[in-house]
Amino acid sequence: MLAYYGKNKALKQYFKRAARMYQESQFLERMEHPANINSEAAQYVTDAGFDRWSRAYSPRNRYNIMSTNIAESMNNTLKECKELPITRVIDYIRGVLQCWFYDRRTSALKHTTQLTTALDVAIDGDLDGHVDLTIRTCTCKEFDVDQLPCANALACIRLRGFSFPDYCSPYYSSAFLVAAYSREIYLVAQPSEWLVPSDVTSKIVHPPVGCRSPRRPRKNRMPSFGEEVTQRRCTTCHRVGHNSHTCTYPKACTPSNGMGSTSEIGEASGSHNVL
C-alpha cells in the first residue's frame, strides 16, 4: 500500500496501529485516520480484505504473530547455497534443520517453567474488560485472539486463585516447545537404498522451458517495491555501502553520528566552526 501511495510516515503508523487492534470498533476508528490522509490508500487496503492483514478480522488464530519474519530468516539462511545444484541445496537445508533442531531442543529441555520463558513476562494491559473464564473470552478480544489471558483475565484468575497456565493455549507451554523439536532429522541414504514408488519412477521429468540467463544468479533477495532497505555502514570510515573489510577510504578521525565526519558537515554547510 505504501509503495503505491508514498512513504508518508503518519499514514504508515496509523495503518500499523489499525492492523494490530483486537476489537473491530477500535480498528474502524483508527482506519479513519488513513482515510483522511489518503482516501485512495485506505480504499486499496479495504479492497484487499481486512481479513488478510488485520488482527481484528482474522478468521484464524494469529497467536500475536503479525509478520513473516520466519520466511525472511529462511531466505537469508539459504543465501549461501543458492548457486549449488538442487541436490546439494536439499542437503544443505537438511544440515541447517539438524543444527536448528538440536540447538532448540537443547534450549527447550532446560525450561523449568510450565510456560515458555518469554510468555512469563508478556502480561500487560488495562483493566476495562468483561471476562468469561469458562469459554476463555474477554470483551477486549486479546484473550480470544492470542489464546493468552489478557490483563483483565489475569486479574480474575488471581482473584479466584486459579492457575494462570491452565488458561493459556497449550501451544505456549514448554512441553509443546520440546515436542516441536523432539523429532530427529536423518541423513539421506544412498540412492540404491531409496524406496521410490513406481508411480514416481514412471514419470518423465523434462528440462524447464526457456534459456538460463547469461548473468550470474542473484544471491540477495529482491526487496519489495517500496520496502525500506537498511544500508550497511563501514566501521572504519563510517560511509554506507560497504564494510571495513572492503574499505578503501582512510580511517575517520572522529566518531560518526550517522551524518559523516565533522569536516564533511562543515564543508556541506559552508562553515567550519564545530561546537
Side-chain angles (χ1 to χ4, degrees), residues 232-254:
R232 66 177 64 183
R233 182 177 293 275
C234 177
T235 57
T236 300
C237 68
H238 306 303
R239 292 176 171 86
V240 298
H242 64 276
N243 55 32
S244 59
H245 298 288
T246 59
C247 180
T248 59
Y249 296 96
K251 185 175 182 180
C253 298
T254 57

Side-chain angles (χ1 to χ4, degrees), residues 63-65 107-108 111-124 148-149 164 168 171-174 177:
Y63 295 100
N64 205 26
I65 303 299
S107 176
H111 285 193
T112 58
T113 57
Q114 187 172 348
L115 297 177
T116 57
T117 305
L119 291 175
D120 282 338
V121 293
I123 306 303
D124 193 11
L148 184 72
F164 165 69
C168 300
Y171 295 114
Y172 291 114
S173 66
S174 298
L177 181 61

Side-chain angles (χ1 to χ4, degrees), residues 26-95:
Q26 293 177 338
F27 170 83
L28 295 175
E29 179 183 352
R30 281 158 179 77
M31 278 298 293
E32 293 178 359
H33 298 287
N36 294 332
I37 297 175
N38 192 319
S39 59
E40 292 184 1
Q43 188 61 46
Y44 176 85
V45 295
T46 301
D47 294 340
F50 294 156
D51 59 312
R52 292 177 176 268
W53 53 269
S54 71
R55 176 181 278 156
Y57 286 86
S58 177
R60 300 176 180 84
N61 294 330
R62 303 186 69 105
Y63 295 100
N64 205 26
I65 303 299
M66 296 295 294
S67 67
T68 57
N69 290 343
I70 180 61
E72 300 300 336
S73 297
M74 288 298 300
N75 286 334
N76 185 65
T77 299
L78 302 180
K79 180 173 60 176
E80 300 300 328
C81 71
K82 289 184 178 180
E83 294 182 354
L84 300 176
I86 185 61
T87 54
R88 296 302 305 272
V89 172
I90 297 300
D91 192 58
Y92 184 92
I93 295 174
R94 187 267 311 160

